[in-house]
Amino acid sequence: MTDRALLDQMLMDADPARTPRDAKPDAEALAIRDRIISGEIKPKRDRAVGVRWATAIAAFVVVAGVAAFAAFSSQGQAVAGTPGPLTFTGSSTVEQIVDDAQLALASTPGPPEPLRFVRAASWGYSINMTMEESKIVPQLSTLSWEADQSGRMTIIEGEAYSPDDAAANVNAEVSSTGEVVTELIMEPGQFGSPIADPPGSSAEDMRAMLTALGVPVDPSAGELMRGISSAVNQWTLTNEQEGHLLDLVASTGGATALGETTDRLGRPVAGISVPSPNMAATEVILISRETGRIVGMETTSVKGDDVLPKGAIIAYRLWDMTDEMVR
């Protein structure tokens, strides 16, 4: 059996549904993919959702491909790499980082109201099993949606680079090719957000938003971070709303201040880390030192295995991007 046939068999064994090989994931599948990667949902074996699950697998097949690629390496060793970790400097406290962010939020302009519009950058793998090569492939997406849950998502491919490329791992690691690889049109009701109406501006409104997104009443720091990630993946919030979210980060135990760094778009940020809800990874929230807004989140493995070493970047997602960053 060839390497590709083995990978196909692994994916089919994961779910009995059948999807055309060249099928592109729809908007719902992409949302499911993001929730799977974030740990919000786990695979279901119910045949009633088989087609959705199969499309979700197709959407993040590059992630499954990493494990398969390592397993099929002729030397029996993991050869896939990940983006280089961010290097933080300086010392601070969570409270100080949040206080500084609140000052920046109060003194810089932001959206006058919450917007059903989000620009984001994330990354995946491009795996060549024959050549035993892997590349990091950033993607830049623009999401806009309406109260009736219709909308559009455009995904632009970033410049791919090798995880062994030291120059690519020094500073910004996301740049656009300008090539549109996916254009998704969502019909009314397809987006499926639990928050169709703009959330209010009070701290209580932000807590209600997180509750609607599945955050427990008394969340761990990791559960809170996942809820915040879900919120900013759907809405571009006002400065006041983001300030309330940061207050929750400061008041929830378990967070650690990391210091300052530059994110993968070259922006100055401060970092706060927390254990993921399942304790298998560390979540790092990135806060702009210029605007005080939440501009990114990264997930790092806690334990090494045969595929990825301890400290490997599992995923990153960046927000608050400008038009120029996407073009």
Side-chain angles (χ1 to χ4, degrees), residues 1-14 21 57 60-72 127-129:
M1 207 178 230
T2 66
D3 291 349
R4 291 184 182 279
L6 282 171
L7 176 58
D8 287 343
Q9 188 62 53
M10 289 170 64
L11 294 176
M12 286 189 289
D13 289 344
R21 184 181 300 274
I57 287 179
F60 71 99
V61 64
V62 287
V63 178
V66 176
F69 182 51
F72 300 148
I127 304 295
N128 185 324
M129 290 184 171

Side-chain angles (χ1 to χ4, degrees), residues 45-69:
R45 305 298 291 177
D46 187 347
R47 286 180 179 270
V49 296
V51 174
R52 291 183 182 180
W53 177 232
T55 1
I57 287 179
F60 71 99
V61 64
V62 287
V63 178
V66 176
F69 182 51

Side-chain angles (χ1 to χ4, degrees), residues 8 17 27 51 65 73 75-76 79 100 108 119 126 202 234 269 271 292 318:
D8 287 343
V51 174
S73 170
Q75 289 80 24
V79 291
D100 291 344
T108 56
R119 285 197 188 94
S126 172
S202 70
Q234 298 178 20
V269 295
L318 305 173

Side-chain angles (χ1 to χ4, degrees), residues 310-326:
K310 178 181 179 180
I313 303 298
I314 299 172
Y316 66 67
R317 193 160 178 86
L318 305 173
W319 301 287
D320 270 22
M321 298 168 58
T322 64
D323 287 335
E324 291 74 18
M325 293 177 182
V326 176

Side-chain angles (χ1 to χ4, degrees), residues 81-154:
T82 67
L86 299 175
T87 301
F88 292 88
T89 60
S91 60
S92 186
T93 65
V94 172
E95 292 74 17
Q96 186 59 58
I97 290 175
V98 171
D99 286 346
D100 291 344
Q102 297 289 13
L103 290 173
L105 287 167
S107 60
T108 56
E113 59 186 19
L115 306 174
R116 297 186 189 89
F117 179 86
V118 177
R119 285 197 188 94
S122 56
W123 70 274
Y125 279 112
S126 172
I127 304 295
N128 185 324
M129 290 184 171
T130 302
M131 300 299 295
E132 294 188 0
E133 293 177 348
S134 65
K135 285 187 176 296
I136 295 168
V137 185
Q139 288 188 331
L140 303 102
S141 63
T142 300
L143 166 70
S144 60
W145 58 289
E146 306 296 335
D148 65 357
Q149 307 274 3
S150 64
R152 176 190 296 266
M153 176 181 283
T154 302

Side-chain angles (χ1 to χ4, degrees), residues 15-298:
D15 189 271
R18 298 293 182 265
T19 302
R21 184 181 300 274
D22 59 351
K24 289 182 177 296
D26 58 18
E28 185 176 18
L30 287 174
I32 293 172
R33 176 204 61 182
D34 289 341
R35 292 171 63 200
I36 293 166
I37 293 174
S38 72
E40 291 179 37
I41 61 174
K42 300 293 188 293
K44 295 182 179 180
R45 305 298 291 177
D46 187 347
R47 286 180 179 270
V49 296
V51 174
R52 291 183 182 180
W53 177 232
T55 1
I57 287 179
F60 71 99
V61 64
V62 287
V63 178
V66 176
F69 182 51
F72 300 148
S73 170
S74 59
Q75 289 80 24
Q77 299 175 346
V79 291
T82 67
L86 299 175
T87 301
F88 292 88
T89 60
S91 60
S92 186
T93 65
V94 172
E95 292 74 17
Q96 186 59 58
I97 290 175
V98 171
D99 286 346
D100 291 344
Q102 297 289 13
L103 290 173
L105 287 167
S107 60
T108 56
E113 59 186 19
L115 306 174
R116 297 186 189 89
F117 179 86
V118 177
R119 285 197 188 94
S122 56
W123 70 274
Y125 279 112
S126 172
I127 304 295
N128 185 324
M129 290 184 171
T130 302
M131 300 299 295
E132 294 188 0
E133 293 177 348
S134 65
K135 285 187 176 296
I136 295 168
V137 185
Q139 288 188 331
L140 303 102
S141 63
T142 300
L143 166 70
S144 60
W145 58 289
E146 306 296 335
D148 65 357
Q149 307 274 3
S150 64
R152 176 190 296 266
M153 176 181 283
T154 302
I155 300 177
I156 297 175
E157 189 165 285
E159 294 281 358
Y161 65 91
S162 167
D164 297 326
D165 185 344
N169 281 279
V170 172
N171 294 308
E173 297 180 357
V174 180
S175 58
S176 172
T177 64
E179 179 184 356
V180 175
V181 292
T182 304
E183 189 78 45
L184 301 172
I185 305 298
M186 294 171 279
E187 302 298 330
Q190 190 175 9
F191 185 60
S193 171
I195 309 162
D197 297 324
S201 59
S202 70
E204 290 72 20
D205 291 325
M206 287 297 94
R207 291 192 186 94
M209 181 184 200
L210 294 175
T211 298
L213 292 169
V215 177
V217 175
D218 186 20
S220 67
E223 291 168 332
L224 175 64
M225 289 289 198
R226 291 288 171 84
I228 290 174
S229 175
S230 295
V232 297
N233 270 327
Q234 298 178 20
W235 291 88
T236 295
L237 299 172
T238 67
N239 283 7
E240 182 179 4
Q241 290 171 324
E242 294 230 349
H244 292 313
L245 293 180
L246 292 177
D247 283 339
L248 289 173
V249 172
S251 63
T252 301
T256 302
L258 298 177
E260 300 177 349
T261 190
T262 301
D263 76 2
R264 300 177 194 278
L265 289 169
R267 302 174 296 185
V269 295
I272 296 174
S273 71
V274 302
S276 65
N278 61 7
M279 306 300 288
T282 297
E283 305 284 1
V284 176
I285 189 171
L286 301 175
I287 303 166
S288 170
R289 286 157 44 205
E290 296 175 333
T291 68
R293 294 177 60 83
I294 298 165
V295 295
M297 191 170 292
E298 304 210 348

